[in-house]
Amino acid sequence: MKVLTFAFRSFGREIRSGELLVLLGAITLAVAALTAVGFLADRIGRAVDRQANEVLAADIRLRSPEPIPANLLSEAKIQGLRTAEMMSFPTVVFKGELNSLTSITAVTASYPLRGRLRIADRLFGEQRVTDGIPPRGEVWADPTLLSRLEADVGAVLEIGESTFRISSVLTYRPDQSGGFSSLAPTLIMNLADLPASGLVGTGSRVSYALLVAGEEGPLQAYNKFLETNLPESVRVRNQADRSEQVRNTVDRSQRFLSLTAILSVLLSAVAVAMSARRFAQRRLDTVALMKSLGATQGFVIGVASVQLLMLGVIGVAIGSLLGFAAEELLARFLSGIVADDLPAASMAPVWLASGSAALLLVGFALPSLLQLRNTPPLRVLRHDVMPP
């Protein structure tokens, strides 16, 4: 109890006199550097992951040659996840005497869950981003399909037993394939129009898909549900199945930001060690006076440990705030390079910075302060006497 009382009283006095400000400044700067890099790395990494999910147009994509079981859709809704349904199959569309093989993609209104569609008002026109899908009775056609059918926006196509008007040119969709399946041009339609077209029946080559997206916690719960309730006919694709190029981009960015964090830790360690050494030298006379009045080595070590703990708590609090502010400024400065809609920062960098601050204090500051226990009381009379 005496150790805590003396540590608190002397801590406030030394803070006011400026004795601990140098060491506190070093800890604060170390935490600020770590949290700033950590916040930015965390937000950019999560943003890259989110953008990489555009390859699937979702976070999780369930695909099957048979209709997706209803329990998979209901469980996603129970977890509070966003869902979208789609069906895709090849067929032939007609415009007068002309016809062409195309890949029909019928989707619900929430498609896509990740990424956005881009359309144009005419063939070879300027594209724009859209948040919707074709209304009922209308379709969006790939430019290649329009060229084969010698059609443009406003033309009418015969698809199955129904006719549809081309309302826009489809220039981009997030999950468009770059492989062999992309040889057939794409046509997007509303899933509600599919039954009336009569295109789906016995023997149809239809691929069913359920798209799922949401926060990380519900997604993990949904993945656990899939582990025990997934039929053999259903295949799951998620972040682990991203293209190699996207995966390499994420790995390189994480390596670069991790290297930056390591350099920050090394520089912070040097600053803490130098400031702790200077603080210990300035406290030699105080410790000598304490020992001449009866203070034991354990009392001196206890006071130093409590004050280090207080320094760490204050340094982590102030440094985290400074790191968060620095990350916001850096993100705005790099707004032309990184995405403007970065995800909100998590608390993970704060815990990492707290652990690093404790490691820096114990590894680089505590050894210098422990030397104070060997300060001879004779130093009260002779200032040239140093600890052995």
Side-chain angles (χ1 to χ4, degrees):
M1 192 65 182
K2 293 181 179 180
V3 172
L4 293 176
T5 303
F6 185 83
F8 278 102
R9 289 180 179 178
S10 60
F11 183 82
R13 181 172 59 253
E14 290 169 356
I15 282 289
R16 289 191 297 270
S17 64
E19 288 294 328
L20 288 177
L21 288 181
V22 177
L23 185 55
L24 178 60
I27 295 296
T28 302
L29 289 176
V31 174
L34 289 170
T35 51
V37 172
F39 282 139
L40 186 62
D42 181 64
R43 294 181 69 186
I44 290 180
R46 292 164 61 193
V48 170
D49 285 339
R50 186 178 64 183
Q51 292 175 0
N53 288 342
E54 292 186 10
V55 176
L56 306 177
D59 294 329
I60 300 176
R61 188 185 187 102
L62 307 178
R63 191 181 183 95
S64 173
E66 303 173 357
I68 303 295
N71 65 323
L72 301 183
L73 176 61
S74 60
E75 178 64 22
K77 293 182 177 179
I78 291 174
Q79 296 294 340
L81 299 170
R82 296 182 293 119
T83 62
E85 299 177 69
M86 61 185 300
M87 297 169 60
S88 56
F89 53 90
T91 189
V92 176
V93 299
F94 295 86
K95 175 185 173 290
E97 299 296 328
L98 301 177
N99 62 81
S100 175
L101 176 66
T102 185
S103 176
I104 298 287
T105 301
V107 297
T108 55
S110 53
Y111 172 87
L113 301 180
R114 297 297 185 192
R116 303 173 74 181
L117 296 168
R118 292 200 291 265
I119 58 176
D121 295 328
R122 65 181 185 277
L123 189 61
F124 307 120
E126 183 177 355
Q127 63 179 359
R128 56 185 173 86
V129 175
T130 180
D131 294 322
I133 64 170
R136 297 197 62 175
E138 299 180 3
V139 294
W140 295 345
D142 187 281
T144 304
L145 178 62
L146 297 181
S147 299
R148 293 179 181 178
L149 297 177
E150 300 178 1
D152 205 338
V153 174
V156 176
L157 300 181
E158 296 179 23
I159 305 176
E161 300 175 1
S162 304
T163 58
F164 296 87
R165 186 179 69 89
I166 302 174
S167 57
S168 295
V169 180
L170 178 66
T171 59
Y172 171 79
R173 61 185 180 94
D175 54 345
Q176 62 188 12
S177 174
F180 179 78
S181 60
S182 65
L183 295 178
T186 302
L187 185 145
I188 286 186
M189 63 185 299
N190 197 308
L191 187 61
D193 286 331
L194 195 56
S197 67
L199 291 172
V200 178
T202 304
S204 298
R205 297 174 53 198
V206 181
S207 176
Y208 299 83
L210 173 63
L211 309 183
V212 180
E215 299 298 328
E216 183 175 355
L219 283 174
Q220 291 180 352
Y222 189 65
N223 277 319
K224 291 183 179 179
F225 173 81
L226 293 178
E227 291 177 0
T228 56
N229 295 274
L230 191 68
E232 294 184 359
S233 61
V234 179
R235 296 292 179 264
V236 180
R237 295 186 63 194
N238 51 32
Q239 293 182 5
D241 301 316
R242 293 172 299 193
S243 65
E244 183 178 357
Q245 182 179 3
V246 174
R247 191 159 50 244
N248 290 338
T249 301
V250 176
D251 292 341
R252 283 195 297 268
S253 63
Q254 290 179 346
R255 288 197 198 102
F256 173 77
L257 294 173
S258 298
L259 178 61
T260 305
I262 291 174
L263 292 177
S264 301
V265 171
L266 293 177
L267 294 177
S268 301
V270 174
V272 170
M274 294 178 63
S275 58
R277 179 184 178 89
R278 180 180 178 184
F279 172 72
Q281 290 177 345
R282 291 190 174 187
R283 289 207 63 186
L284 288 175
D285 294 338
T286 302
V287 173
L289 181 60
M290 291 168 54
K291 298 187 72 172
S292 67
L293 296 176
T296 63
Q297 288 187 353
F299 184 84
V300 173
I301 296 174
V303 171
S305 300
V306 172
Q307 291 183 345
L308 276 183
L309 178 61
M310 297 170 63
L311 275 175
V313 173
I314 297 176
V316 167
I318 299 176
S320 297
L321 294 176
L322 292 177
F324 182 79
E327 185 275 331
E328 286 291 336
L329 292 176
L330 187 59
R332 293 183 181 181
F333 178 75
L334 299 175
S335 59
I337 302 176
V338 300
D340 295 331
D341 56 341
L342 291 176
S346 66
M347 292 298 295
V350 176
W351 302 121
L352 176 61
S354 300
S356 300
L359 182 63
L360 292 176
L361 287 173
V362 173
F364 295 90
L366 187 59
S368 297
L369 296 182
L370 288 179
Q371 293 299 322
L372 293 174
R373 63 180 180 176
N374 298 322
T375 303
L378 184 61
R379 185 177 171 83
V380 174
L381 302 177
R382 295 180 54 186
H383 292 283
D384 59 335
V385 177
M386 301 293 293

